[in-house]
Amino acid sequence: MEGLEVGNADLIVYIHPSKANKVRQAILRQLSSLLFTYDEIFNGVVLAYEVTIQSRTAKILPGLVPHFGVKVKATFLIFSPRPNMLLEGKVVKLGKESIHVVVLGFCSVAIMLEDIREEFKYKIKDGQGVFSSRSHKRHIIKVGSMVRFSVKSLDEETLHISGSLVPPHTGCIRWLFKLV
């Protein structure tokens, strides 16, 4: 799946003096605040990190409440979807007008009817709604299916993606793998 990147960063983490006896714990707490939120500096959503403290010395910053800065080296796993990227996710809701998908368990995707190839037709099968291909009988998208789709747009604030099943090589992953 596209959109996952590994990034390295040299950072200075500022810690309150009351946390001086638990520096590692304070650093981890600061970096944990970045998880699962869009960060403009990394241009994506931080999914995981690994940190190494660079030195045992810290620089004290004077002020009303003095802090000290600790140099760390961090490796981040970043989810950074861009338009036209191919992503994969699980269908969680399906209706006549749209398919709703979740990517990596936290990112919401909506694929609207105008972004679904014309070969797919909505049907009720065994009491459930499905999108079935007219040209390939076994190519079916239903709730629980894993689908590959193209990114149309991304709203960073709400982590909501607008997707498309129009490009070739998009659709139900199970069926796409049988083609290869």
Side-chain angles (χ1 to χ4, degrees), residues 7-44:
N8 295 314
D10 292 321
L11 304 170
I12 297 177
V13 178
Y14 298 103
I15 300 171
H16 191 273
S18 66
K19 305 293 183 192
N21 61 344
K22 296 179 181 178
V23 173
R24 180 155 180 80
Q25 192 176 31
I27 291 170
L28 295 176
R29 185 178 189 123
Q30 287 276 24
L31 293 178
S32 291
S33 69
L34 297 174
L35 292 174
F36 298 105
T37 57
Y38 186 87
D39 192 299
E40 288 182 10
I41 294 169
F42 297 115
N43 202 19

Side-chain angles (χ1 to χ4, degrees), residues 5 13-14 19 25 29-32 48 73 78 112 114 116 119 123 126 132 160 167 174:
E5 302 170 3
V13 178
Y14 298 103
K19 305 293 183 192
Q25 192 176 31
R29 185 178 189 123
Q30 287 276 24
L31 293 178
S32 291
K73 187 173 202 73
I78 301 166
M112 304 312 288
E114 61 268 11
I116 299 173
E119 77 175 81
K123 296 180 182 178
D126 299 326
S132 178
H160 187 271
R174 175 179 261 163

Side-chain angles (χ1 to χ4, degrees), residues 12-18 20 23 55-71:
I12 297 177
V13 178
Y14 298 103
I15 300 171
H16 191 273
S18 66
V23 173
S55 73
R56 295 277 178 205
T57 60
K59 183 177 181 179
I60 297 174
L61 300 172
L64 189 57
V65 178
H67 284 72
F68 60 95
V70 180
K71 289 183 180 181

